[in-house]
Structures are given as C-alpha cells and as structure tokens.
Amino acid sequence: MLRLPYQVVRGFKMSSVDQSMQLLRNQAYVNGQWVNAQSKAVYPVTNPADDKVITEVPDMDAHDTKAALDAAADAFKTWKKTTAKERSSILRKWYDICMKNSDYLAEIITAEAGKPLAESKGEIVYGSSFLEWFADTARHINGEVIPSPWPNKQIMVTRQPLGVVSIITPWNFPFAMITRKVSALMAAGCTCVIKPAEDTPLSALAAVQLAEEAGVPKGVINVVTASRKNAPNVGQVLCEDPQVGCISFTGSTHVGKILYGMAAKGVKRVSLELGGNAPFIVFPSADMDNALENAMLAKFRNNGQACVGANRFLVHEDVFNKFVTGLKEKIAQKCILGPGSKPGVTCGPLINTAQVNKITGLVDDAVSKGAKLMLGGKVASNIGNKFYESTLLTDVTPKMNIYKEEIFGPVVVCYKFKTEEEVLKIANSTRSGLASYVFTKDLGQAFRMSQELEFGMVGINSGMLSTTEAPFGGIKESGIGREGSKHGAEEYTDIKYTLFSALDK
Ligand code: SIN
C-alpha cells in the first residue's frame, strides 16, 4: 500500500525511530477531516524511553469536543440505518488493513507507550481481533418474539443502537482499548467520539487513519486529542452533552467515579472498566513450573501496567519458599530492561514521571516498614529516568501502602497463607473485583474458588484471561459492563419492546 508522508512535524528534535513512522499523524480527526484545535493550541507527545518529542498534536477543548459530538450525532442518523452486513463488511476491511499495517502500528505504540516491540505487535493482533470478532457479531445482534398473554397480540423485542458513544481510553493498551470499544459500538450501529489518553494519542490517530482507508464513513469515528490541562473540560462535555447516549471508559477507578457522577446527571448509560487488585493464589498442589511461568505473564505483561496484572501473590506456606526462589530466578533471567525499540528488551520504561514516583513511593514505604527486598527496588538510572527495576518483595504487612493499592508497575509482592478460608478472605478484602488467578490441581478447590472469589474474571491455572471471545469486565469498584464476547455489542444497544395489537382487525 502506498503511504503518503502525512506528518508535518514542527521544529522538534525527534527520536530516531520517529522518522520512519509511516502512520504518524499530528492532527485530530473530526467528521472525516484531519483538523487542528479551533484555538490552534498543540501539546507535545513524548517517547517515555528518552523523553524526546515524537510530534505535537492538537490540544482541543470543549468547543472542539462539541463539534466532534455534533459530527457523530449527524453520522448516527445514517449509520444506524446501514444493514448489519454492511457494518460487518467495513469492520472486516478495517481488520484486514490493521493486520497488513501491524508493523507500522506497533512502532507507534512502542514510541509513545514504551512497550517492547514484540508486545506492541501482540497488542495489534489482540486489538485487531476485536474488529474481526465484531465484524461477525454485527450480524447476530438478534431480537426476540415472545408469546403474548393476550389473543391477537404479539410482543416483539428488538435491540436498537443507543446513539453517540463517548470513549475515553487509557495509555497502557492505546490501540486495543480503542478497537475493543469502537468495533462493538459500530457493530451495534452507534457512532463515537474518542478522547485517547494524553500520553498516547498517536495510536488512536493511526487506527483511525486505517479506519478511513477501510471505508468507515465520515463522522462515525471522531478523535479529539487533549492535554492533561484540557482533559477535564473535554471529559465533562463528553459526559454531559445531551447528544451522548453512553460513556465508555477504561482507566482508573478514581477517574471512573468522576465520569460516572457526570453521566448520572443525564441518566446516561456507562461502560466502565476500572482498576483491579488481582490476587494470584498458589496452592500446594499447583504445578509449580506452570504457576511460575504464568506469574511472569500476569505480572510483567506491559511491565505490570495492566489493570488485570497480578497485584498480590498469595502463596501457601508449604510452597512459599519454592515459589519465591523460582520467581526470583525467572525475573533475573527474563526481565530485560531497556527501550522498547531495542532488540531483546522485555520490560520497557514506565509511562511517565507520575508512575515512576508512585512505584518508588510504594516500594520505599514498604521497605521502610520492614518489607524484604529480594530483587530490584529502584529506578535503573543508568538506562533513563523512567526505567524501574523488576522488583520482588516479601514480608509485606497490612500497615504498608503496597498491601492495599493497585501497584500498576513491575513489583511482585508475595504473602504467605495457611488455609483456603484465610486466602479467600484476604483475596476478597478489597473493593476491586476485576481479575483473579488460582493455581491448584484440586478440582473441587478450583470450583470453590471460582464460586467464591468476588471478581469478574477468574483464571484457573492461567495468568492470562484476555481474549475477544470472553466477556472482559469487573464487579464492585472495578466497573460496570462487559467488553468483547457476544455481550460487548449489547452494551451499546437499547432494548425496545413493541406490542403489536389488534392483529385480528
Ligand atoms: C488492561 O489491563 O488495562 C486491559 C488489558 C487487557 O485487555 O488484557
């Protein structure tokens, strides 16, 4: 496919990888047009590995957001009338184009999010799988006809697209969190405005460029980019504008609650995928090699920056030493810290200084209160200012902040337990309820844990749950709604009941 030199990058010193970036865009996308902010304001997007500016993007505000919502509302009038087959075919084309451009998309993710190139490529495959899945699902959003209790009447139930969806996405999976939402809502017949994370707007813009090439009509997908300064105003319009039918957000529980509050004013539908505090439970019967392999996956995927990442390793006292020793060896062997674009690197930088400060604060607090540092424990300043060493802590107690908080970084925290009852109590003693992991060969125990763990997702003998076929989501303060699976598109529909009466007249 011929690529045009789209980007016009103003006088910045760019990191070397940027110059080859085929899908780099530096304008937002509204109503099928690549646009600047009405105010002409811009903000820089930097590479977390070296702090160099990749490019600048529009720093949009409430006015730009309103214009994007108007475009989405206008496009909804026609998109909702397309056939399921037409929507399916466009999603399928978008999938094919993303797969063809996976290397270009991956380099953008690595540049702005820092993750190793192999992980970025994995994210493209994962993220694109939602486009493929919802291309199929679009044709199976069925209604029902229910026998009525009255003669000569018929009850018909249909699922109708709910309208314009506001999408606010995080920086940790800047491509997949967009495709997971947009493919589902498009399949349902909705249109959207996306506000990508301040740190990672470029993956969103690249994805939308490919959507345009796939034939997504103007106004169906709009992207509004904004800095941290403008994000609250943009978010408010996205939640409160009367044209919006649903707010779909993936991110922190703190921000999710604010958005939920704003959505409540208009009694808007919400789809919230918020923070986790996943327990990773190892029983004595577990296959230890499998538990260790999966511990690495559950903790170090995206360097711990995942809401499904294992946060608390709860290990039975009989196998505690074996697990800790094994994990220490695996971390030392497999965690290779460095810029994501460097071959062989498996752990990239943290996304920004706030994350570095947070991880540093949590580890320092734990160590000052008696936690034992088995590995790591500081910023690897010989590589850069955002590279935190892969860290392993034991002897953690409830007095330490790290005991309660979502770490969202490369820090393994191991606790000892004695009984099934005790570990369930510890695991469930949180307001979070997203992912959980259990390692055991005892079938009855696996079943009991699946029943009793207060989490939306339970991985038995697996540290990886995410797949487009399964319903992804949490309970308690981890969210509302499900993404992926057959339920993902239903989130963006309203159920309509029509009573056909007087059928004998
Ligand atoms: C997340 O952890 O933020 C989502 C990751 C996933 O979809 O697996």
Side-chain angles (χ1 to χ4, degrees):
M1 189 185 316
L2 179 68
R3 295 245 153 265
L4 300 171
Y6 287 113
Q7 70 274 25
V8 184
V9 180
R10 299 169 196 81
F12 278 107
K13 185 170 176 242
M14 302 199 333
S15 48
S16 57
V17 67
D18 304 334
Q19 282 149 38
S20 68
M21 278 200 244
Q22 301 286 313
L23 290 174
L24 185 66
R25 300 295 313 223
N26 63 354
Q27 285 180 302
Y29 187 69
V30 175
N31 206 21
Q33 304 290 318
W34 292 94
V35 295
N36 298 320
Q38 291 171 30
S39 68
K40 304 277 181 281
V42 292
Y43 77 96
V45 181
T46 55
N47 183 330
D50 56 15
D51 289 338
K52 287 185 182 156
V53 174
I54 303 167
T55 187
E56 290 176 319
V57 293
D59 192 1
M60 297 181 124
D61 59 19
H63 298 292
D64 299 295
T65 310
K66 176 79 175 75
L69 288 170
D70 291 345
D74 209 38
F76 179 62
K77 291 179 198 147
T78 42
W79 182 248
K80 70 177 177 186
K81 293 197 174 134
T82 52
T83 64
K85 191 171 172 185
E86 283 166 328
R87 297 197 293 276
S88 168
S89 142
I90 289 178
L91 283 168
R92 179 77 212 194
K93 278 192 200 132
W94 191 10
Y95 164 75
D96 289 338
I97 292 181
C98 285
M99 292 309 290
K100 271 195 205 124
N101 285 275
S102 59
D103 286 349
Y104 298 133
L105 287 166
E107 68 181 346
I108 291 204
I109 296 182
T110 291
E112 67 176 353
K115 66 178 75 173
L117 209 45
E119 277 201 43
S120 297
K121 287 184 184 169
E123 181 177 340
I124 300 308
V125 173
Y126 174 52
S128 301
S129 72
F130 292 101
L131 301 173
E132 185 187 37
W133 172 262
F134 284 108
D136 292 343
T137 309
R139 301 180 73 178
H140 301 280
I141 304 174
N142 301 327
E144 45 190 334
V145 175
I146 301 174
S148 88
W150 310 288
N152 302 317
K153 295 190 186 186
Q154 196 60 271
I155 295 171
M156 184 176 79
V157 178
T158 48
R159 284 194 172 268
Q160 300 203 312
L162 58 68
V164 175
V165 183
S166 291
I167 292 189
I168 305 179
T169 50
W171 45 262
N172 60 344
F173 292 90
F175 175 77
M177 295 303 99
I178 285 176
T179 51
R180 182 154 82 180
K181 294 176 191 303
V182 176
S183 54
L185 70 90
M186 278 178 64
C190 296
T191 59
C192 66
V193 175
I194 306 169
K195 203 309 249 149
E198 300 82 17
D199 291 316
T200 56
L202 304 177
S203 304
L205 297 174
V208 163
Q209 179 180 322
L210 298 181
E212 186 181 44
E213 287 180 27
V216 174
K218 71 176 179 134
V220 170
I221 309 176
N222 304 275
V223 181
V224 168
T225 52
S227 68
R228 282 191 172 71
K229 177 173 74 71
N230 279 345
N233 291 338
V234 168
Q236 184 169 8
V237 177
L238 288 175
C239 290
E240 295 184 357
D241 188 284
Q243 299 178 107
V244 172
C246 173
I247 294 100
S248 181
F249 170 71
T250 295
S252 72
T253 303
H254 171 72
V255 174
K257 287 180 182 178
I258 296 171
L259 299 176
Y260 195 16
M262 291 196 280
K265 290 186 193 161
V267 198
K268 304 276 173 71
R269 182 85 63 83
V270 289
S271 170
L272 301 174
E273 201 265 275
L274 309 180
N277 185 352
F280 186 103
I281 303 170
V282 184
F283 285 105
S285 69
D287 175 324
M288 190 49 75
D289 288 341
N290 183 49
L292 290 169
E293 278 300 324
N294 280 281
M296 294 299 292
L297 203 57
K299 181 74 244 186
F300 290 102
R301 176 174 174 238
N302 199 19
N303 210 13
Q305 301 174 110
C307 50
V308 288
N311 208 50
R312 298 169 290 159
F313 286 82
L314 307 172
V315 186
H316 191 274
E317 59 180 1
D318 291 354
V319 289
F320 187 84
N321 289 344
K322 194 171 173 193
F323 181 83
V324 170
T325 310
L327 198 54
K328 190 174 165 193
E329 273 169 23
K330 283 223 183 289
I331 295 172
Q333 198 188 347
K334 294 199 169 179
C335 291
I336 306 190
L337 201 54
S341 54
K342 188 172 164 192
V345 160
T346 57
C347 296
L350 298 177
I351 188 73
N352 54 36
T353 308
Q355 279 301 114
V356 175
N357 292 343
K358 182 186 163 193
I359 304 298
T360 305
L362 286 173
V363 172
D364 290 355
D365 170 75
V367 172
S368 75
K369 291 176 183 162
K372 197 158 150 200
L373 199 53
M374 308 290 287
L375 213 57
K378 60 177 183 345
V379 171
S381 42
N382 56 323
I383 311 180
N385 60 10
K386 296 194 187 64
F387 294 89
Y388 200 89
E389 292 174 349
S390 309
T391 297
L392 176 58
L393 285 175
T394 59
D395 297 2
V396 171
T397 68
K399 277 188 303 192
M400 303 168 187
N401 296 335
I402 208 161
Y403 186 88
K404 307 172 269 284
E405 285 189 31
E406 184 183 24
I407 302 168
F408 228 73
V411 183
V412 176
V413 180
C414 295
Y415 311 86
K416 228 180 253 180
F417 71 88
K418 286 187 179 27
T419 66
E420 191 178 304
E421 194 186 24
E422 180 195 2
V423 79
L424 263 176
K425 201 167 159 200
I426 301 172
N428 288 337
S429 65
T430 165
R431 284 295 302 148
S432 299
L434 190 60
S436 57
Y437 308 95
V438 179
F439 289 77
T440 178
K441 278 193 181 158
D442 176 338
L443 185 59
Q445 185 167 57
F447 186 75
R448 288 193 296 281
M449 297 305 279
S450 144
Q451 293 288 103
E452 297 300 328
L453 281 168
E454 295 166 4
F455 293 82
M457 299 179 279
V458 185
I460 305 285
N461 295 323
S462 173
M464 178 74 186
L465 287 152
S466 308
T467 176
T468 184
E469 289 80 2
F472 186 105
I475 59 171
K476 300 201 279 190
E477 291 186 14
S478 285
I480 295 175
R482 292 294 177 268
E483 296 193 303
S485 80
K486 68 171 182 159
H487 305 289
E490 290 171 0
E491 292 285 325
Y492 300 107
T493 63
D494 287 321
I495 290 178
K496 179 173 277 182
Y497 154 42
T498 307
L499 179 68
F500 287 92
S501 196
L503 293 179
D504 57 338
K505 299 281 187 286

